[in-house]
């Protein structure tokens, strides 16, 4: 069986028949395996009869009026495909080619994206086996990736899904929409948040946020688990899972992610600080550091 179990929640792997139907324009699937590491979407590596291997990623199933999603997490697969197509060809930004995007839901009730299988291994998996020089190379390459993405300037700030429903013409407008959506989500899910305090903080920050005038492309989840590397040389061979990408201010620094096990940031002299998400630091503030 190529794909069997239909998982609850946000994952929806495809069955044999569904894979055959969706992949018809590309070829005939002969085997498949789940790709480990994903925490949100279902991802399968499928080998075709012509010898190629492709990655099949499905969107989130429609789960009624109250899906187990935050507002910004909806329609992520289409946003990911858009970013991959935008980033294709950017110097120093190795992303997968989107081979097929099935959104008409004629074969299966979720969106499906098919992309090439990139070489390399997950940095978060192999970092303990890498030499200091390889780790330093990986850090430099990730910096190159970030710089390449940041060269792309959009027309609006925010998340591109649903025509920038969580976005705006300015960074304060977009950031305000994002925070309002999170506060709404907290209310829906019964999470205790001091909403007036949060709104007041966002309001106080508006002058600083307004210093950002150009919306640059951000990956938004660029941590070692989404970086593929050559463990011997440290060369970054792929950047994956930009599903939460948005246009905002360029990130000024990194901060190490938490909850990911031991850190790949060795040696100490090569350890960056890694910021997951959009930094709101102005150029003036960055240069004063």
């Amino acid at each position: 069986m190529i794909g069997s179990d239909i998982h609850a929640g946000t994952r929806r792997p495809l069955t044999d028949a569904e894979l055959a139907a969706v992949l018809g324009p590309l070829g005939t699937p002969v085997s498949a395996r789940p790709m480990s590491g994903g925490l949100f979407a279902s991802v399968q590596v499928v080998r075709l009869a012509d010898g190629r291997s492709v990655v099949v990623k499905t969107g989130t199933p429609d789960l009624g009026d109250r899906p187990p999603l935050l507002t910004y997490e909806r329609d992520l697969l289409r946003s990911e495909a858009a970013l991959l197509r935008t980033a294709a060809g950017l110097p120093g930004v190795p992303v997968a080619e989107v081979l097929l995007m099935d959104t008409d839901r004629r074969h299966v009730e979720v969106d499906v994206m098919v992309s090439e299988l990139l070489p390399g291994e997950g940095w978060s998996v192999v970092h303990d086996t890498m030499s200091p020089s390889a780790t330093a190379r990986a850090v430099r390459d990730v910096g190159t990736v970030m710089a390449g993405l940041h060269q792309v300037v959009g027309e609006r700030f925010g998340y591109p899904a649903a025509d920038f429903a969580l976005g705006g013409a300015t960074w304060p407008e977009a950031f305000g929409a994002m925070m309002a959506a999170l506060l709404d989500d907290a209310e829906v899910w019964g999470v205790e948040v001091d909403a007036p305090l949060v709104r007041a903080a966002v309001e106080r920050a508006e002058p600083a946020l307004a210093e950002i005038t150009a919306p640059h492309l951000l990956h938004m989840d660029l941590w070692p688990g989404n970086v593929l590397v050559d463990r011997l040389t440290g060369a970054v061979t792929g950047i994956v899972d930009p599903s939460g990408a948005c246009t905002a201010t360029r990130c000024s620094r990194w901060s190490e992610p938490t909850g990911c096990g031991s850190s790949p940031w060795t040696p100490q002299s090569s350890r960056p600080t890694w910021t997951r998400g959009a930094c709101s630091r102005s150029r003036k503030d960055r240069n004063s550091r």
Side-chain angles (χ1 to χ4, degrees):
M1 194 71 171
I2 293 179
S4 55
D5 294 338
I6 304 301
H7 301 283
T10 62
R11 297 189 178 191
R12 179 26 172 118
L14 302 187
T15 65
D16 295 20
E18 290 167 343
L19 285 170
V22 170
L23 293 172
L26 297 177
T28 302
V30 295
S31 66
R33 60 177 173 84
M35 180 175 283
S36 62
L39 301 177
F40 189 83
S42 175
V43 185
Q44 296 161 278
V45 178
V46 181
R47 187 166 62 86
L48 303 178
D50 62 7
R52 290 181 296 161
S53 290
V54 297
V55 176
V56 178
K57 186 172 186 177
T58 60
T60 305
D62 293 328
L63 297 172
D65 296 333
R66 196 183 183 192
L69 303 171
L70 298 176
T71 300
Y72 86 92
E73 293 176 323
R74 302 182 185 189
D75 210 15
L76 287 182
L77 194 62
R78 299 188 191 200
S79 296
E80 179 174 353
L83 182 138
L84 291 175
R85 287 166 172 157
T86 298
L90 289 176
V93 183
V95 296
E97 178 186 358
V98 178
L99 304 174
L100 185 151
M101 190 71 187
D102 189 329
T103 59
D104 62 14
R105 304 195 175 186
R106 181 164 55 93
H107 302 298
V108 62
E109 79 285 359
V110 292
D111 292 341
V112 182
M113 182 180 72
V114 184
S115 61
E116 67 172 323
L117 178 65
L118 293 172
E121 301 171 274
W123 191 7
S124 61
V125 175
V126 302
H127 65 80
D128 285 338
T129 70
M130 293 169 60
S131 67
S133 62
T135 296
R137 165 72 183 277
V139 171
R140 290 194 300 271
D141 280 7
V142 168
T144 299
V145 168
M146 294 176 71
L149 290 175
H150 296 171
Q151 296 308 306
V152 178
V153 180
E155 297 180 356
R156 291 178 64 80
F157 289 90
Y159 294 105
D163 195 23
F164 284 89
L166 288 183
T170 67
W171 183 222
E173 181 184 352
F175 189 79
M178 294 175 182
M179 294 306 298
L182 285 174
L183 292 176
D184 289 344
D185 289 333
E187 184 175 356
V188 168
W189 291 101
V191 178
E192 186 175 348
V193 176
D194 190 337
L197 184 65
V198 173
R199 294 190 184 98
V202 173
E203 184 176 353
R204 288 196 305 272
E206 186 170 335
L209 296 174
E211 295 182 22
I212 307 303
T213 58
H216 295 269
L217 183 62
L218 303 182
H219 182 288
M220 291 294 284
D221 197 15
L222 192 53
W223 70 287
N226 286 335
V227 178
L228 303 177
V229 298
D230 180 321
R231 74 165 75 190
L232 296 180
T233 67
V236 170
T237 60
I239 298 297
V240 301
D241 199 21
S243 55
C246 78
T247 50
T249 174
R250 283 178 284 190
C251 284
S252 60
R253 63 193 188 115
W254 302 350
S255 65
E256 184 179 331
T258 58
C260 303
S262 57
S263 171
W265 308 131
T266 53
Q268 186 70 28
S269 60
S270 296
R271 174 176 290 186
T273 56
W274 181 293
T275 296
R276 296 184 66 178
C279 307
S280 298
R281 192 182 305 276
S282 69
R283 179 180 295 276
K284 177 181 178 181
D285 190 25
R286 291 200 299 270
N287 291 342
S288 68
R289 289 177 59 84

